[in-house]
């Protein structure tokens, strides 16, 4: 299975940087030169500055119109780079990582997603985006809602990570972001690492692609890990991975279409009875009633790790709150704008133009032929 991770904007490229650390193929795209330089693991020739002619390499300051324009202008350069990375071997999934609340990621990601879909129709395009914190205010919320709408019409799935779910603890914001980014990458990388591993009951790329090909609905990745010697019930550990504390999105998992569960750990812990109990529970719980599964007994392993992917989700409190807030704001803003326009025309209507108040005012055109004629005559008079 081949995945290419493309980070867009600061949040997205930081996440891509962590994927690069664990040896994934990555590309970083940003409008900010400084943010690109700050990355540690994405190779230099995989860092692309876009929109330099409109931003001077200084970012777009949460303006998604500029983010969109930057990506549109430099799309040929970005696609050429992607083409050279892809080469002759197909990419199964393009993962686009970004922050929903900024300008470069929110504006640029849908443009790139559309171009990838057109150029590589057999590959999946999966968006992995961080939802803004409530405290960030209205602008990131609007950016997120509109970008969700756009991506839902282009991407195969949207893996949304709700930053609000991860605020616990006393970390400052950049430490909290680091922790979130690390968690996202740990989950997705663990899942991808288990695809196409030889074995009897393992997952292959087509299973993962089937689950993620879900008409631009939401997907979420759950996770649970424990020391093998301390696991009393594997079934409980699996269930924990997809219950609310296991997911980084407030979502009603009953609305999910498909699921995928991968369990990795020492063979003595991976008991079939336990695993099937949990899988039965999940199969009955989700709307689509289809769960793909992979078992990975590994005698060298001391820990048990469970990764759960749920897709086709349409019912999520995190998303609903953002979309509702943005809609309410847009409605009241549009109303205020209309009122201002009405008030303006009421106030100013009935005023005359200058001509009505200054009748008969003559305007001389200094370059008029008549004036030149007069000047000529005057000069002639002076010589006579
Ligand atoms: N999880 C996570 N979220 C982040 C991180 N950095 C920023 N965010 C979120 O992403 C949004 C801002 O996106 P950025 O990536 O900083 O913005 P950008 O795409 O670079 O766009 P501009 O800075 O406007 O050019 C905010 O809503 C933040 O909450 C991060 O490292 N991790
Ligand atoms: Mg930025």
């Amino acid at each position: 299975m081949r995945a290419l991770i493309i980070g867009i904007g600061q949040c997205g490229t930081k996440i891509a940087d962590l994927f690069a650390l664990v040896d994934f193929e990555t590309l970083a795209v940003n409008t900010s030169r400084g943010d690109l330089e700050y990355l540690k693991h994405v190779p230099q020739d995989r860092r692309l500055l876009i929109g330099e002619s409109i931003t001077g390499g200084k970012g777009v300051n949460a303006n998604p119109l500029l983010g969109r324009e930057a990506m549109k202008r430099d799309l040929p350069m970005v696609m050429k780079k992607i083409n050279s990375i892809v080469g002759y071997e197909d990419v199964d999934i393009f993962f686009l990582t970004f922050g929903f609340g900024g300008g470069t990621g929110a504006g640029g990601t849908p443009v790139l997603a559309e171009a990838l879909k057109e150029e590589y129709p057999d590959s999946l395009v999966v968006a992995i985006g961080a939802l803004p914190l409530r405290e960030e205010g209205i602008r990131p919320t609007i950016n997120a809602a509109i970008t969700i709408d756009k991506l839902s019409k282009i991407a195969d799935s949207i893996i949304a990570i709700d930053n609000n779910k991860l605020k616990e603890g006393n970390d400052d914001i950049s430490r909290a972001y680091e922790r979130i980014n690390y968690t996202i990458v740990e989950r997705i990388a663990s899942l991808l690492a288990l695809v196409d591993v030889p074995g009897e009951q393992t997952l292959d790329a087509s299973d993962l692609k089937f689950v993620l090909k879900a008409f631009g609905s939401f997907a979420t990745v759950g996770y649970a890990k424990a020391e093998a010697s301390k696991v009393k019930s594997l079934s409980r550990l699996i269930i924990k991975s997809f219950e609310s504390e296991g997911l980084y999105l407030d979502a009603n998992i009953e609305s999910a279409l498909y699921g995928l569960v991968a369990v990795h750990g020492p063979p003595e812990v991976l008991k079939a009875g336990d695993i099937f109990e949990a899988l039965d529970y999940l199969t009955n719980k989700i709307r689509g009633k289809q769960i793909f599964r992979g078992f990975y007994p590994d005698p060298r392993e001391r820990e048990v790790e469970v990764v759960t992917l749920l897709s086709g989700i349409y019912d999520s409190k995190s998303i609903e709150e953002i979309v509702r807030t943005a809609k309410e704001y847009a409605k009241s803003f549009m109303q205020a704008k209309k009122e201002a326009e009405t008030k303006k025309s009421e106030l100013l209507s009935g005023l005359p133009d200058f001509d009505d108040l200054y009748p008969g005012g003559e305007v001389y055109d200094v370059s008029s032929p008549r004036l030149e004629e007069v000047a000529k005559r005057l000069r002639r008079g002076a010589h006579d």
Side-chain angles (χ1 to χ4, degrees), residues 72-91:
K72 276 189 183 161
R73 285 191 187 200
D74 286 324
L75 196 58
M77 183 248 298
V78 176
M79 291 305 285
K80 195 169 156 213
K81 187 79 194 174
I82 292 172
N83 232 295
S84 79
I85 298 171
V86 171
Y88 296 108
E89 196 192 327
D90 286 346
V91 165

Side-chain angles (χ1 to χ4, degrees), residues 84-318:
S84 79
I85 298 171
V86 171
Y88 296 108
E89 196 192 327
D90 286 346
V91 165
D92 292 292
I93 307 178
F94 292 100
F95 285 101
L96 306 186
T97 57
F98 63 101
F100 272 106
T104 305
T109 304
V111 176
L112 181 57
E114 197 165 15
L116 287 171
K117 272 272 139 201
E118 205 170 301
E119 180 100 14
Y120 303 99
D122 297 332
S123 309
L124 259 54
V125 172
V126 174
I128 304 180
L131 298 172
L133 296 168
R134 269 175 220 107
E135 291 79 1
E136 288 177 61
I138 191 66
R139 195 160 168 163
T141 302
I142 293 169
N143 294 354
I146 295 176
T147 305
I148 285 170
D149 180 35
K150 291 191 185 305
L151 283 174
S152 72
K153 295 170 184 132
I154 305 166
D156 291 287
S157 276
I158 304 169
I159 300 179
I161 290 101
D162 190 350
N163 280 347
N164 292 293
K165 282 261 281 185
L166 302 147
K167 273 188 310 194
E168 84 277 2
N170 299 320
D171 290 350
D172 64 64
I173 190 75
S174 60
R175 280 284 305 139
Y177 280 156
E178 256 176 54
R179 207 156 42 82
I180 300 168
N181 298 351
Y182 183 86
T183 307
I184 296 166
V185 174
E186 183 184 46
R187 290 179 180 201
I188 308 272
S190 302
L191 178 63
L192 296 177
L194 294 177
V195 173
D196 285 344
V197 171
E200 269 183 36
Q201 298 220 50
T202 56
L203 294 161
D204 58 33
S206 64
D207 296 334
L208 183 63
K209 286 177 85 171
F210 185 90
V211 170
L212 284 172
K213 203 168 172 54
F215 55 88
S217 55
F218 294 95
T220 180
V221 186
Y223 190 77
K225 189 154 95 173
E227 246 177 72
S229 59
K230 291 192 178 140
V231 175
K232 290 204 184 71
S233 157
L234 178 60
S235 151
R236 272 231 307 280
L237 188 71
I238 296 173
I239 290 172
K240 198 176 137 201
S241 76
F242 57 80
E243 283 189 342
S244 112
E245 74 266 35
L247 303 176
Y248 277 2
L249 181 76
D250 251 326
N252 172 12
I253 68 160
E254 290 176 24
S255 73
L257 265 190
Y258 309 118
L260 181 154
V261 177
V263 189
H264 181 256
E268 63 276 14
V269 182
L270 267 59
K271 295 194 195 88
D274 261 5
I275 295 175
F276 284 110
E277 187 186 325
L279 290 178
D280 271 356
Y281 175 80
L282 184 57
T283 307
N284 288 321
K285 209 167 169 67
I286 69 167
R287 187 174 53 124
K289 313 280 178 226
Q290 285 193 60
I291 305 288
F292 292 81
R293 52 197 172 228
F295 306 144
Y296 302 86
D298 183 347
R300 295 160 305 175
E301 194 54 77
R302 293 228 180 95
E303 285 180 321
V304 185
E305 187 184 48
V306 183
V307 192
T308 312
L309 171 67
L310 294 164
S311 72
I313 293 173
Y314 61 84
D315 188 2
S316 155
K317 275 208 195 99
S318 306

